Amino acid sequence: MTGFRVIAQTVRAHWGILTLTSAGLIVAYYVAQIAVLYFRLGHLPNYVTAYDYPANVAQIIRSTPAMSDMIPIILNEWILEIGYMDYNYGHGIAQWTMGILPSKLLMIAIVSALISLNALLWRTTRHSCSHLERRSLVGAAGLGAVMAGLVNISLSWVVCCGTPAWIVGLALLGLDIGLAFTLEPFGVWIASVGFAFLAMSTLRLASHNLTVQSTARRTSLLPEIA
Amino acid sequence: MISFRVTRMISGIAVAMIGLLGATNAVHAEAITIGIGHQSMCTDTYAAGIIVKELKILEKHLPRSGKYADVTYNIKWDDYASGGPITNQMLAGKLDIGVMGDYPVIVNGAKFQATKSLNTILVSSTGYNLRGAGNAIVVPASSNVYSLAQLKGRSISTPYGSAAWGMLIKALEDAHLSLNDVDLKNQAPSVGAANIATGKIDAHADFCPWSEVMEYRGTGRKIYDGSQAGVPYLHGVVVRKDFVDKYPEIIVAFIKAIHDAGEWLKKDPALAAAQMEKWTGVEKEVLYLYYSRGGHLTVDPTLKPQWIDTLKFDHGVLARADLSPTLDFKEWVDDRYVKKAYADLGLDYAAQSKQIVDPLIANRDLPNEIWHAKDGILSYPTTAAFLKAAADFHATGVKINAAYVYDHDTGLKLFGKTAFYVRNKDGSYTAFLRKDPAETYAAKTGGEISTFTEAIARQAI
């Protein structure tokens, strides 16, 4: 049995808790962004706008001849906008917004599922590997989650007239502007490395789990995860 | 038999013709959606945005004959806080026309050109200030900072990537300061304005009308005006190429609407400012500073060669900061539509495109003004007479909405209350935007420098 089979087995056995924790992590991810904004700028969101995502995607498909252009535009499409409108100026000006983009939501859902899976596998294997390895795996998973999470930040600010992108969120969260812009071209790489760390950690934990299960079978003990 | 065949043939042709006519009618019965992105908090876009929308000027010019005979129009106006989101919505095909400032408009063109199948065209300008007024650096009203040099080691915020950011970079370069000499922060206009009001930041650089809003509200004071950078400030209209290729007449109609909006502004600027205040929420006194005679903005849709040079310069600033891909100006700029609009309106495009308003020359002999709450705009030929009138109003408690004078060095229209005044030996007054030039002038002429409050106190004696 490979690590992948252990993962599949774990998912089958614990899909309920996995779904719940993943959903909780997704909510926590977006709530955390709003919380940081609140502490940094002092305002809670005061407006929500929902977008007709299917109709907008259909419009993009109709109006974009090249597939290579169509995909990135669709990936940038919003389904929900939550923000703070400052009514001290004009009839109100959006000071900051957090967009829910299905493409980013999917990425965050994958990250959340991997974190939940890691936690489940870690619970089983925590006594089967060394303290150092355990800490390394937790560290790798954590670092991976942070990297993938950062690149999927979906905050925007009226300040960045030129380039609304994930680095806007970083700048908004307090990162130096120059550093944020330096990081921008590496977004895909940062996310990829993040996902790789998470996946590696999951697989490693699954392998350990395999060892636990083999040992359990040899000693006729029931496996904790089956 | 033959006649039967002929009858059948004629009937067939008739049916086919009816079918064709039906098909043609179906084309004519097309509903055209025109998506326009504008910015009600960016003053310079009004001539192609809020005015055209609220006065329904586009509707007046939309084509109704030929292939547009049975067309129904669905005009969709979307208001945005900056140009970036307008570009994104244009990329997504939700907007066809975008109205934005010089820096965002460049990013728009470059972003579209970076795609394989999409493009935008710069079809028209909306207006300009030759000297770059509109952007400015503001300090808290109570600050002891009066020049850019004094900002060394202090914090300056600006909306990153905006026209104001571009101006700030140029201003620092001109003052022999590097970005390392200041603590540069990225702040939204409303955040910057709030921080200026509470003194949380040393300076804030922003685009129109934020600096003037801060001055008008008495929270901020300009220490640097975009006009000092010497780079024109302008706004433009970009259109998706697929839209303009399909409906060129609609774009021509849109440019005619911009022209008409400019004429409406010229007719009665005070009334226009009051009307625009209702639409945008921006104070009418601030809007008057932009759109009155001698105001910051000259509404002019023509694409002057100088504007293209300015946009090329601006693109260089953006490209050096990695904020914009390359932009082929030859492919991007197309003045055929604005020329056609002028021709249709019976106007001389060539003459208009050569005409550039330089505030220093155009405003030289313009009277100072007081916006009396009841009597409207009152004019005063000299600054001394203006200050005397202001003193009289102040003494009798008469409410004035705002007062306007002109900067001696640049010809820019200023709020009277924020200007510095030099009382010359002959009793006349000269107004200045900034304290440093006022002091230099006073030292040279033996004059005496004062603030607005001090000057009207002297006049009241």
Side-chain angles (χ1 to χ4, degrees):
Chain A
M1 195 163 71
T2 64
F4 289 107
R5 284 186 64 186
V6 173
I7 290 169
Q9 205 176 38
T10 309
V11 171
R12 270 200 304 274
H14 298 277
W15 67 268
I17 189 118
L18 270 173
T19 309
L20 270 178
T21 49
S22 301
L25 283 170
I26 294 169
V27 172
Y29 175 75
Y30 287 106
V31 169
Q33 288 185 51
I34 291 177
V36 172
L37 284 169
Y38 173 72
F39 288 115
R40 195 162 141 67
L41 299 172
H43 301 289
L44 282 169
N46 60 2
Y47 79 91
V48 178
T49 309
Y51 294 96
D52 188 351
Y53 184 76
N56 290 340
V57 170
Q59 173 66 27
I60 293 167
I61 293 167
R62 277 197 302 273
S63 61
T64 316
M67 186 70 85
S68 57
D69 294 334
M70 199 187 290
I71 291 165
I73 297 172
I74 290 172
L75 292 180
N76 209 22
E77 199 50 42
W78 297 27
I79 196 162
L80 199 70
E81 178 184 337
I82 300 163
Y84 173 72
M85 187 78 76
D86 186 348
Y87 290 102
N88 287 314
Y89 302 96
H91 290 316
I93 183 163
Q95 201 176 85
W96 57 261
T97 56
M98 186 184 73
I100 310 281
L101 291 77
S103 57
K104 292 201 169 191
L105 187 61
L106 179 67
M107 291 296 120
I108 292 304
I110 295 169
V111 172
S112 303
L114 285 172
I115 294 170
S116 307
L117 193 56
N118 260 269
L120 269 176
L121 291 168
W122 184 82
R123 216 174 47 142
T124 324
T125 54
R126 65 183 182 273
H127 301 303
S128 70
C129 57
S130 70
H131 178 69
L132 183 66
E133 190 177 6
R134 235 174 33 238
R135 287 187 67 172
S136 303
L137 288 173
V138 170
L143 183 64
V146 168
M147 289 168 92
L150 280 180
V151 178
N152 285 293
I153 284 177
S154 51
L155 300 173
S156 63
W157 211 1
V158 66
V159 291
C160 295
C161 293
T163 48
W166 64 277
I167 53 149
V168 175
L170 295 188
L172 190 50
L173 296 176
L175 191 75
D176 176 72
I177 310 165
L179 183 58
F181 276 87
T182 309
L183 283 175
E184 193 192 16
F186 305 107
V188 176
W189 295 106
I190 295 170
S192 305
V193 171
F195 278 111
F197 276 169
L198 267 170
M200 270 164 43
S201 160
T202 312
L203 272 172
R204 186 76 191 134
L205 285 166
S207 305
H208 275 295
N209 204 279
L210 188 63
T211 316
V212 172
Q213 288 186 26
S214 307
T215 313
R217 265 196 298 277
R218 274 202 302 276
T219 55
S220 305
L221 289 170
L222 284 170
E224 195 171 336
I225 293 171
Chain B
M1 189 69 182
I2 292 168
S3 72
F4 177 70
R5 275 185 185 169
V6 170
T7 310
R8 271 183 64 182
M9 202 168 74
I10 290 168
S11 311
I13 290 168
V15 169
M17 280 184 73
I18 290 165
L20 270 172
L21 272 173
T24 314
N25 279 339
V27 171
H28 282 183
E30 184 186 7
I32 300 174
T33 299
I34 309 167
I36 307 163
H38 71 116
Q39 302 171 65
S40 70
M41 276 304 288
C42 184
T43 333
D44 289 11
T45 64
Y46 290 1
I50 199 79
I51 300 171
V52 176
K53 179 193 171 194
E54 296 294 339
L55 296 179
K56 299 191 188 304
I57 312 177
L58 177 59
E59 285 85 334
K60 190 182 116 189
H61 289 289
L62 281 171
R64 310 269 177 199
S65 59
K67 70 173 181 177
Y68 299 97
D70 296 319
V71 155
T72 50
Y73 292 106
N74 172 26
I75 305 172
K76 189 167 67 82
W77 291 89
D78 281 343
D79 193 359
Y80 292 90
S82 64
I86 296 179
T87 295
N88 283 353
Q89 296 301 302
M90 288 179 77
L91 276 165
K94 285 177 260 174
L95 296 176
D96 308 296
I97 301 170
V99 191
M100 52 190 103
D102 39 19
Y103 277 72
V105 89
I106 289 163
V107 174
N108 176 288
K111 264 187 142 180
F112 268 85
Q113 281 189 8
T115 68
K116 196 178 164 190
S117 60
L118 301 169
N119 258 320
T120 51
I121 301 290
L122 179 72
V123 293
S124 155
S125 167
T126 65
Y128 65 91
N129 181 283
L130 179 67
R131 294 176 176 270
N135 297 309
I137 303 171
V138 172
V139 295
S142 58
S143 170
N144 58 1
V145 171
Y146 290 95
S147 71
L148 210 56
Q150 287 178 276
L151 285 176
K152 191 172 181 177
R154 299 189 191 225
S155 54
I156 309 176
S157 68
T158 188
Y160 204 78
S162 68
W165 166 82
M167 172 215 63
L168 178 63
I169 303 262
K170 173 84 166 50
L172 291 173
E173 276 173 14
D174 291 350
H176 307 293
L177 291 170
S178 76
L179 285 176
N180 296 327
D181 289 328
V182 294
D183 176 16
L184 188 64
K185 292 181 189 299
N186 194 21
Q187 277 184 347
S190 55
V191 177
N195 284 343
I196 285 289
T198 51
K200 283 184 188 164
I201 192 113
D202 295 316
H204 178 69
D206 222 322
F207 45 82
C208 58
W210 291 94
S211 311
E212 288 74 25
V213 167
M214 286 184 262
E215 281 197 321
Y216 177 71
R217 293 186 182 186
T219 56
R221 168 170 46 81
K222 273 188 201 177
I223 58 155
Y224 184 94
D225 189 87
S227 58
Q228 291 169 253
V231 180
Y233 180 44
L234 57 130
H235 284 62
V237 178
V238 273
V239 185
R240 268 181 70 117
K241 193 169 184 308
D242 49 4
F243 187 86
V244 73
D245 285 347
K246 199 171 177 187
Y247 307 118
E249 297 85 357
I250 293 178
I251 299 308
V252 171
F254 190 76
I255 299 168
K256 286 180 194 168
I258 300 172
H259 172 270
D260 284 7
E263 293 303 305
W264 177 76
L265 283 162
K266 274 185 219 159
K267 211 163 126 189
D268 190 342
L271 186 71
Q275 195 68 52
M276 288 188 289
E277 183 187 64
K278 285 181 193 152
W279 298 333
T280 65
V282 176
E283 291 89 338
K284 60 181 182 298
E285 294 81 0
V286 173
L287 296 171
Y288 187 79
L289 190 69
Y290 274 87
Y291 287 110
S292 56
R293 193 169 166 227
H296 285 198
L297 192 71
T298 306
V299 177
D300 181 347
T302 61
L303 287 168
K304 303 176 197 302
Q306 291 92 326
W307 297 169
I308 310 308
D309 292 341
T310 300
L311 292 173
K312 283 178 182 169
F313 170 84
D314 294 344
H315 179 256
V317 174
L318 284 165
R320 280 194 293 281
D322 285 332
L323 287 175
S324 172
T326 54
L327 177 60
D328 180 349
F329 278 79
K330 272 190 183 164
E331 197 184 309
W332 183 52
V333 181
D334 193 340
D335 60 5
R336 284 178 301 160
Y337 307 97
V338 63
K339 281 179 175 168
K340 175 79 170 69
Y342 266 68
D344 287 357
L345 292 169
L347 300 167
D348 186 346
Y349 181 84
Q352 182 63 39
S353 65
K354 278 182 198 146
Q355 199 178 77
I356 294 181
V357 174
D358 182 345
L360 191 57
I361 300 161
N363 297 354
R364 191 176 287 152
D365 299 319
L366 289 183
N368 300 302
E369 292 170 322
I370 290 178
W371 192 335
H372 190 281
K374 260 169 56 186
D375 299 339
I377 304 291
L378 306 173
S379 299
Y380 302 91
T382 66
T383 308
F386 159 83
L387 288 168
K388 178 77 176 74
D392 290 347
F393 288 139
H394 183 72
T396 52
V398 168
K399 188 177 179 290
I400 60 169
N401 292 335
Y404 305 93
V405 292
Y406 294 92
D407 178 34
H408 175 264
D409 286 354
T410 60
L412 288 177
K413 198 164 195 165
L414 316 171
F415 282 121
K417 67 177 181 180
T418 60
F420 293 94
Y421 297 86
V422 173
R423 186 171 190 270
N424 301 309
K425 281 181 176 169
D426 61 0
S428 66
Y429 282 84
T430 308
F432 289 87
L433 164 72
R434 293 178 304 123
K435 196 178 182 186
D436 283 1
E439 284 174 341
T440 309
Y441 182 84
K444 209 168 103 184
T445 60
E448 196 184 324
I449 187 168
S450 59
T451 62
F452 179 65
T453 312
E454 291 162 352
I456 61 168
R458 180 188 274 271
Q459 289 295 314
I461 296 165

